[in-house]
Each structure stands twice: as C-alpha cells, then as structure tokens.
Amino acid sequence: MIEFHLDARSGVSPYMQLIQQVRHALRLGVLREGDKLPTVKEVVARLAINPNTVSKAYRELEYEGLVQARPGLGTFVTRTLAGDAEIHRPLRRDLERWLAGARAAGLDDESIEALFLSAFRASQEARP
C-alpha cells in the first residue's frame, strides 16, 4: 500500500502531491491493478489534512481512469502506468549510487534536489 507524504516547501498543492505520488507509484509498479488506496480517513489521520483535499485528489484520479471508488469498500487501482521493470531496475541502482555520492560530497537534500532538477531541465532543453 502507498504511504503518502506532503512537502510544505514544494509549492505544489497537497491534493496535487497526492495525485503525483499515486501516478509515480503506478509508473514504478508500486501500485498495481486491484490494489486499494488508503481510505480518506486514514490519509487525513496520517497527514493531518482536510478530508476534502484527499477526496479531491481521489476524484481527479478517478476522472483520469486510474482508480475507481467502490462504495463501502474503498478506492481501487483500475489501471497501471508501469513501464518495464527490467529497464527501471538498473537505472534506479545508478541513481541510488549517484545520490549516495552526492550525500558523501556533503550535499543536503535541497542541494541534491536543485542539482537534479537543473540537470533534468537542461536535458529536456537539449532534446530535439
């Protein structure tokens, strides 16, 4: 089951953070078809946010066809976005090594994120 978290410094609204986390979990194969999302009540208790925020995120995911609410049962994944796990695995290992190297060089999380995003954006601009 997915464990949601919020980053108040991100500048991204809480409901969008929840949506992004579900999409990421679907892409990485953490969530699969048939998996149940935490209930609104569980997310509210864990994150101390407004129930309407969670409901809004779940409605948006349902609108996108990624989940389906089943009254009395919960909200379930109906579609995955997972790519090929065989492709992801070695790339993830490389990225984990890079992160360890960045931490060993003394970079804090904010600096690592800034460096990564800078490189990511530069690579997008360089694409044809």
Side-chain angles (χ1 to χ4, degrees):
M1 181 183 292
I2 189 170
E3 293 261 345
F4 291 115
H5 59 278
L6 295 178
D7 181 358
R9 299 175 302 123
S10 74
V12 176
S13 66
Y15 98 95
M16 274 308 296
Q17 289 185 51
L18 297 178
I19 290 170
Q20 288 172 345
Q21 289 172 46
V22 169
R23 286 182 189 149
H24 290 170
L26 290 170
R27 273 195 174 76
L28 296 173
V30 173
L31 285 175
R32 300 181 185 278
E33 231 175 281
D35 286 351
K36 183 179 176 187
L37 294 183
T39 66
V40 170
K41 188 176 181 178
E42 290 169 340
V43 177
V44 166
R46 178 161 165 43
L47 300 179
I49 61 174
N50 189 307
N52 292 331
T53 301
V54 182
S55 295
K56 182 177 180 181
Y58 281 15
R59 278 193 311 273
E60 178 69 25
L61 291 163
E62 190 166 14
Y63 177 76
E64 292 177 16
L66 299 174
V67 302
Q68 180 181 32
R70 297 183 192 153
L73 297 175
T75 302
F76 295 84
V77 174
T78 56
R79 185 166 63 99
T80 185
L81 300 172
D84 186 348
E86 295 305 312
I87 293 171
H88 287 187
R89 198 170 293 115
L91 294 172
R92 182 181 179 102
R93 277 195 302 269
D94 290 347
L95 185 55
E96 288 169 348
R97 278 193 289 273
W98 181 85
L99 287 167
R103 285 199 175 91
L107 297 179
D108 62 11
D109 288 348
E110 196 170 329
S111 297
I112 291 170
E113 183 179 9
L115 180 59
F116 177 83
L117 288 175
S118 172
F120 181 74
R121 287 185 185 117
S123 73
Q124 287 180 309
E125 292 169 5
R127 288 192 320 200

